[in-house]
Amino acid sequence: MNSVLQCLSNTRALHDYILRDEYSADINTTTSSMKGALIRAFATLMSDLWKKTDQADVVLTTAPFKSQIQRFAPRFMGYQQQDAQEFLRYLLEGLHEDVNRVTSRPRPITTDIDDSLSTSQQSMEAWKRFLRLENSKFVDLFVGQLKSTLRCTVCGHASVTFDPFWDLSLPIPSKTGQVRLQACFDLFTKEEVLDGDEKPTCAKCQKRQRCTKGFSIQKFPRILVVHLKRFSPQERFRGKLGCAVDFPVSGLDLSPYSAGQGPCKYNLYGVANHSGTLFSGHYTAYCQHPLSGDWYEYNDSRVRPISSRTVSSSEAYVLFFELAGSSHC
């Protein structure tokens, strides 16, 4: 929880939204299960973090905030080991719900998107349908859109679907040694063949055919959260992958994975690290100060300056990137 909160605290656009009190006007008291209690507790903690940083050795308690997040997601009751990416997902979902601009639930649209529309029109229609139900500052910042293409190997017909994502969970192609982050994106977007029992029904052939399926990113979010899948469910004893994933601190180019056009570069500003095993471990955070640009390590109640050169390590687990200023993706 601490490591995730530090990464969110150093998210510049979120910092401004909370500390300028812009969130207050957005609080949703009708469809939100928490009626604003979660974002208020989060905002109190954030403002205390930033207002009390001029005092040396101040340590804040997260207890009031923790009591609200466990009301929203009871799985976080108690103090057993939990997963940082899972916590982040629940937290963003709860904060989003508290400031969702959709204050009364519209009737769902159950019809399929017309596949005679162009790909970009289908993408826009899917995004519009998502925003009918989920629309907040958190969606503005964190949500992107994934494009999935299913192509029949017999007739060549391609059907596309578009899904929103809050983060990307990337497989790691190696158990040990060192790989580049791009290799994880390569594996994530690599086409897979669906054959045998996995054969889908081709919309054009009207029968089950051998197909290929691949992902690309249709809409990149302003804040891209990347989760490295270090815990392998395929392993008999669910071992942790200790492979070092090398990622740049600035200028990560994701254009090769884009379904659209234009340059697409990201700069790193936060890392949640996990040391230890699946059953016992410890989380720390590396974050770049949104105003000074300096890097710090957050380790429970201790904070110390670090060099940006030490940020990439074999313990990196959840990465936070911000879209670079000149990108058009």
Side-chain angles (χ1 to χ4, degrees):
M1 182 176 76
N2 285 353
S3 63
V4 164
L5 288 171
Q6 294 292 5
C7 291
L8 291 178
S9 166
N10 285 283
T11 303
R12 178 68 186 265
L14 187 54
H15 164 279
D16 292 350
Y17 178 65
I18 297 296
L19 269 73
R20 292 173 183 167
D21 200 29
E22 292 167 13
Y23 75 92
S24 291
D26 294 340
I27 288 178
N28 179 330
T29 54
T30 54
T31 57
S32 168
S33 61
M34 295 291 289
K35 309 287 185 234
L38 183 60
I39 197 154
R40 283 196 189 96
F42 177 77
T44 300
L45 185 58
M46 288 297 115
S47 55
D48 284 350
L49 269 173
W50 284 95
K51 283 172 186 162
K52 292 179 180 172
T53 47
D54 52 347
Q55 301 169 28
D57 298 327
V58 171
V59 178
L60 300 171
T61 174
T62 53
F65 168 76
K66 185 174 185 290
S67 71
Q68 295 301 337
I69 188 68
Q70 62 196 25
R71 268 185 61 214
F72 176 73
R75 64 176 47 225
F76 298 116
M77 298 279 255
Y79 292 94
Q80 70 269 40
Q81 167 133 329
Q82 301 278 3
D83 184 81
Q85 181 251 354
E86 207 175 342
F87 175 78
L88 174 65
R89 180 73 70 86
Y90 276 95
L91 174 56
L92 289 179
E93 188 187 311
L95 293 171
H96 151 70
E97 204 180 273
D98 263 358
V99 288
N100 194 348
R101 299 171 185 126
V102 181
T103 52
S104 62
R105 288 271 162 205
R107 288 176 64 179
I109 299 171
T110 52
T111 54
D112 289 341
I113 293 172
D114 184 355
D115 64 3
S116 67
L117 294 171
S118 72
T119 304
S120 67
Q121 286 172 322
Q122 289 181 55
S123 148
M124 282 159 60
E125 175 60 24
W127 187 249
K128 205 164 77 182
R129 289 184 181 191
F130 173 66
L131 290 183
R132 280 181 80 240
L133 300 168
E134 316 292 347
N135 188 345
S136 71
K137 183 69 173 182
F138 290 89
V139 169
D140 298 345
L141 294 177
F142 290 94
V143 180
Q145 190 184 50
L146 210 54
K147 177 186 179 184
S148 171
T149 305
L150 195 67
R151 195 179 303 279
C152 175
T153 60
V154 179
C155 74
H157 175 74
S159 61
V160 295
T161 51
F162 297 94
D163 292 296
F165 67 85
W166 287 85
D167 57 24
L168 293 177
S169 284
L170 303 187
I172 301 174
S174 167
K175 288 182 184 177
T176 54
Q178 187 168 26
V179 295
R180 293 171 70 237
L181 182 61
Q182 282 87 341
C184 301
F185 273 99
D186 290 342
L187 190 56
F188 176 72
T189 55
K190 183 176 176 237
E191 275 196 347
E192 60 171 325
V193 177
L194 303 177
D195 205 352
D197 292 343
E198 291 184 309
K199 275 186 191 173
T201 301
C202 169
K204 195 170 180 187
C205 300
Q206 292 292 306
K207 64 177 185 178
R208 292 179 68 199
Q209 301 283 31
R210 185 172 183 266
C211 291
T212 61
K213 183 182 182 180
F215 289 117
S216 56
I217 300 168
Q218 181 72 26
K219 180 185 187 301
F220 282 87
R222 182 168 162 190
I223 304 297
L224 175 66
V225 178
V226 171
H227 162 235
L228 299 173
K229 290 164 83 170
R230 293 200 173 278
F231 299 104
S232 169
Q234 286 80 32
E235 299 290 315
R236 189 171 164 210
F237 297 108
R238 287 179 58 101
K240 181 183 171 186
L241 302 180
C243 174
V245 178
D246 186 39
F247 47 86
V249 170
S250 61
L252 172 68
D253 186 6
L254 295 182
S255 309
Y257 315 105
S258 169
Q261 303 298 315
C264 191
K265 291 194 173 164
Y266 278 91
N267 298 328
L268 184 81
Y269 71 89
V271 182
N273 303 293
H274 181 273
S275 58
T277 67
L278 174 69
F279 306 104
S280 72
H282 181 60
Y283 284 101
T284 60
Y286 297 152
C287 301
Q288 185 181 38
H289 192 289
L291 307 176
S292 71
D294 297 328
W295 282 87
Y296 293 90
E297 178 190 37
Y298 296 87
N299 186 351
D300 289 343
S301 60
R302 298 183 301 283
V303 181
R304 69 181 182 94
I306 55 166
S307 161
S308 62
R309 291 190 300 278
T310 63
V311 166
S312 185
S313 81
S314 59
E315 294 182 344
Y317 184 52
V318 184
L319 312 175
F320 292 75
F321 292 92
E322 182 169 24
L323 201 57
S326 58
S327 292
H328 307 298
C329 52

